[in-house]
Amino acid sequence: MSAHIIDGKATANELLDEVAAGTSEFTSTAGRKPCLATVLVGDDPASHTYVKMKRNRSAKVGMESRYVQLPGTTTTDELVAEITGLSADPTVDGILLQHPVPAHVDERAAFEAIDPSKDVDGVTMHSFAAMAFGEPGFHSCTPGGIMRLIDAYDIPVAGAHAVVVGRSPILGKPVGMLLLARDATVTYCHSKTADLAAQVAEADIVVAAVGRPELIRGEWIKPGAAVLDAGYNPGNIGDVEYATAAERAGLITPVPGGVGPMTIAVLLEQTLTSARSRG
Amino acid sequence: MSAHIIDGKATANELLDEVAAGTSEFTSTAGRKPCLATVLVGDDPASHTYVKMKRNRSAKVGMESRYVQLPGTTTTDELVAEITGLSADPTVDGILLQHPVPAHVDERAAFEAIDPSKDVDGVTMHSFAAMAFGEPGFHSCTPGGIMRLIDAYDIPVAGAHAVVVGRSPILGKPVGMLLLARDATVTYCHSKTADLAAQVAEADIVVAAVGRPELIRGEWIKPGAAVLDAGYNPGNIGDVEYATAAERAGLITPVPGGVGPMTIAVLLEQTLTSARSRG
């Protein structure tokens, strides 16, 4: 058996086309473009690249992007003040704080300065609880992207057993809550899990969100399972041992070109949603 | 084999004794008693009884209780205004909205009017995310009570497989997050779970939080597992089939006298904590 490969790039491009069309319509109706503010602290090269990608994509779908670059010496108070200003600014629809921030900054405090109605990256405590409780709010972008892939490929969720490997506040924890809200039985695994192989072997849906190259072995995958790999490790290696997993899975995301492209698409989709809600 | 019985009443009484001593000390230092405001909408007899119990217990540990009784016809706006007033009132340390509220009221909106720093019942979205992320905040009282029983009886959590049956916003979901934050592997089961028996059979820790009498059969319990039953169904029946489960479990909570008594104790402990933080 060989898995059907989930084409995240194609699904992301479809979503981006919809967002571009919606943005064009919004712009002509509202007389302004949706605006995403991106905030970068310090000069980590990878973060620079990510922010640049996000800004380019914003422009490509017709959005305005506001770029706030702060020195690596920025304090928590200064960063919170900056983000609070963007939260209050009526010309800003969405706020993205590129993370990780430098170690001396209280990242949680900075995230919480984002008004939930502009939290298009889905990083606030409010957005997390909204995902868990099925209340209105924005999704964390990668979890939101995973759910959109699941729907694009008609993967059954209700009653399925989903195993999420990883428990970070913006990836593992929220994707588990989104799956639970859709009636999956959800197991959270992590570095302290006693027998990861046995847990993964039970899964109809595996979400890998741990950031350790090929931690999840192909032979663990239940035949026919859907495998969504949000890992992106140096050398374009995912968290799943792809080649052997693809022999057993029913559906699988490659790395790159699987989950990755969805993240920016969801970010921009949510920025448009925010703009529409503000008019 | 026969399980060791977890004496929730004794553990709760120890905690209440500590809270009473702390309340006495706080009162003499601060020159005022900690104050818990309880809000009841309508005249459901069971809710009346619960609120009365909570007020009596507050008095017994030396706290002041403020009682706000509103007619069953109260609108969401009126209830939100009342709770917003209590949130702003410097003489109030904790706010408890007795739930369920009448069906025409937006319960979530009412909960969210509680300032998180006074959310001693742990019902707000902020408190939920704080439990999930390990941020400072109050626990939902029954989940907090379950964690205190687990600690009182030295039940190992890190690396254990915990199965939570139920996923309500103030019971199942938060107790799973508290267990995950303590490094358990956590599985959420619910009414759509395909094979509940098989899931429960894997659990080192079973938390029953579903409100269906004896849904969890004794024969499903893994020998030696810890069973915490937060169910409280008519006729003093838990969610776990107690007699047969007690033959297999290592530790088990009875109903009543297990998880139940812990809830009020945690509520009052958190009210004292809130009062201390305000001075």
Side-chain angles (χ1 to χ4, degrees):
Chain A
M1 193 169 81
S2 185
H4 190 87
I5 293 166
I6 295 175
D7 188 343
K9 212 170 164 191
T11 307
N13 283 337
E14 281 170 34
L15 181 53
L16 287 166
D17 285 349
E18 283 173 36
V19 172
T23 297
S24 164
E25 194 194 337
F26 173 83
T27 303
S28 64
T29 314
R32 68 177 190 91
K33 293 179 175 183
C35 173
L36 173 65
T38 55
V39 180
L40 178 63
V41 184
D43 39 42
D44 175 61
S47 291
H48 259 285
T49 306
Y50 281 125
V51 167
K52 202 174 159 188
M53 266 169 58
K54 288 165 188 171
R55 296 182 65 213
N56 288 345
R57 274 291 184 189
S58 309
K60 223 168 153 182
V61 297
M63 291 186 187
E64 194 188 320
S65 77
R66 174 95 58 93
Y67 184 35
V68 180
Q69 192 176 2
L70 300 170
T73 53
T74 304
T75 65
T76 298
D77 283 353
E78 288 164 348
L79 179 56
V80 164
E82 187 68 46
I83 294 173
T84 302
L86 295 170
S87 288
D89 185 337
T91 67
V92 170
D93 298 300
I95 301 169
L96 172 110
L97 171 62
Q98 184 64 40
H99 41 92
V101 295
H104 70 274
V105 172
D106 180 343
E107 185 173 88
R108 177 50 51 198
F111 281 158
E112 293 308 309
I114 300 172
D115 187 290
S117 76
K118 297 187 179 184
D119 181 24
V120 295
D121 199 26
V123 297
T124 59
M125 292 166 76
H126 182 93
S127 293
F128 175 73
M131 287 183 272
F133 293 172
E135 294 289 329
F138 292 115
H139 289 174
S140 305
C141 290
T142 303
I146 289 169
M147 297 310 293
R148 282 158 183 75
L149 285 178
I150 282 174
D151 287 337
Y153 282 82
D154 291 322
I155 297 167
V157 177
H161 187 186
V163 172
V164 176
V165 186
R167 52 173 167 167
S168 73
I170 53 162
L171 185 37
K173 283 200 178 99
V175 79
M177 285 294 132
L178 290 172
L179 288 160
L180 183 61
R182 293 274 297 275
D183 293 334
T185 298
V186 174
T187 298
Y188 285 99
C189 297
H190 45 78
S191 57
K192 302 287 164 47
T193 292
D195 188 349
L196 184 59
Q199 297 290 348
V200 170
E202 297 293 325
D204 303 307
I205 299 171
V206 179
V207 178
V210 70
R212 288 182 54 190
E214 299 190 343
L215 173 73
I216 296 164
R217 312 306 297 175
E219 71 204 41
W220 300 352
I221 304 297
K222 179 157 99 173
V227 177
L228 296 123
D229 188 351
Y232 185 64
N233 306 292
N236 279 345
I237 295 169
D239 288 349
V240 177
E241 187 196 23
Y242 182 78
T244 47
E247 287 169 19
R248 298 171 65 89
L251 281 157
I252 190 167
T253 56
V255 174
V259 171
M262 294 300 295
T263 301
I264 292 183
V266 171
L267 175 73
L268 298 179
E269 181 197 25
Q270 295 191 146
T271 302
L272 175 59
T273 301
S274 173
R276 281 175 171 152
S277 76
R278 254 158 256 285
Chain B
M1 192 167 83
S2 184
H4 190 89
I5 293 165
I6 295 175
D7 187 343
K9 209 167 167 196
T11 307
N13 283 337
E14 280 170 36
L15 181 53
L16 286 166
D17 286 347
E18 282 172 37
V19 172
T23 297
S24 162
E25 195 194 336
F26 173 84
T27 303
S28 63
T29 314
R32 68 177 189 90
K33 292 179 175 184
C35 173
L36 173 64
T38 54
V39 180
L40 178 62
V41 184
D43 39 42
D44 176 61
S47 292
H48 258 286
T49 305
Y50 281 125
V51 166
K52 202 175 160 190
M53 264 170 59
K54 287 165 189 171
R55 297 181 65 213
N56 287 345
R57 274 291 184 189
S58 309
K60 221 167 153 183
V61 298
M63 291 185 187
E64 194 188 321
S65 77
R66 174 95 59 95
Y67 184 36
V68 180
Q69 193 175 3
L70 300 171
T73 53
T74 304
T75 65
T76 298
D77 284 353
E78 287 165 347
L79 179 57
V80 164
E82 187 68 47
I83 294 173
T84 303
L86 295 169
S87 289
D89 185 336
T91 66
V92 169
D93 297 300
I95 301 169
L96 171 110
L97 170 62
Q98 185 63 40
H99 42 91
V101 294
H104 70 274
V105 173
D106 180 344
E107 184 173 89
R108 177 49 53 197
F111 281 159
E112 293 308 309
I114 300 172
D115 187 289
S117 76
K118 298 186 179 183
D119 181 22
V120 295
D121 199 27
V123 297
T124 60
M125 293 166 76
H126 182 94
S127 293
F128 175 72
M131 287 183 272
F133 292 173
E135 295 288 329
F138 292 116
H139 289 175
S140 305
C141 291
T142 303
I146 289 169
M147 297 309 292
R148 283 159 183 74
L149 285 178
I150 282 173
D151 288 338
Y153 282 82
D154 291 322
I155 297 167
V157 177
H161 186 185
V163 171
V164 177
V165 185
R167 51 174 167 166
S168 73
I170 53 160
L171 186 39
K173 283 200 177 100
V175 78
M177 286 293 133
L178 289 172
L179 289 160
L180 183 60
R182 292 275 296 275
D183 293 332
T185 299
V186 173
T187 299
Y188 285 100
C189 296
H190 45 78
S191 56
K192 301 286 163 46
T193 292
D195 188 350
L196 185 59
Q199 296 290 349
V200 170
E202 297 293 324
D204 304 308
I205 298 171
V206 179
V207 178
V210 71
R212 288 182 53 191
E214 297 190 344
L215 174 73
I216 296 164
R217 312 306 296 175
E219 70 205 41
W220 299 351
I221 304 297
K222 179 157 100 174
V227 177
L228 296 122
D229 188 351
Y232 185 63
N233 305 292
N236 279 343
I237 295 169
D239 289 348
V240 177
E241 187 195 22
Y242 182 78
T244 47
E247 286 169 19
R248 299 171 64 87
L251 281 157
I252 191 167
T253 55
V255 174
V259 171
M262 294 300 294
T263 302
I264 291 184
V266 171
L267 175 73
L268 298 179
E269 181 197 23
Q270 295 191 144
T271 302
L272 175 59
T273 301
S274 174
R276 281 175 171 152
S277 77
R278 257 158 252 284

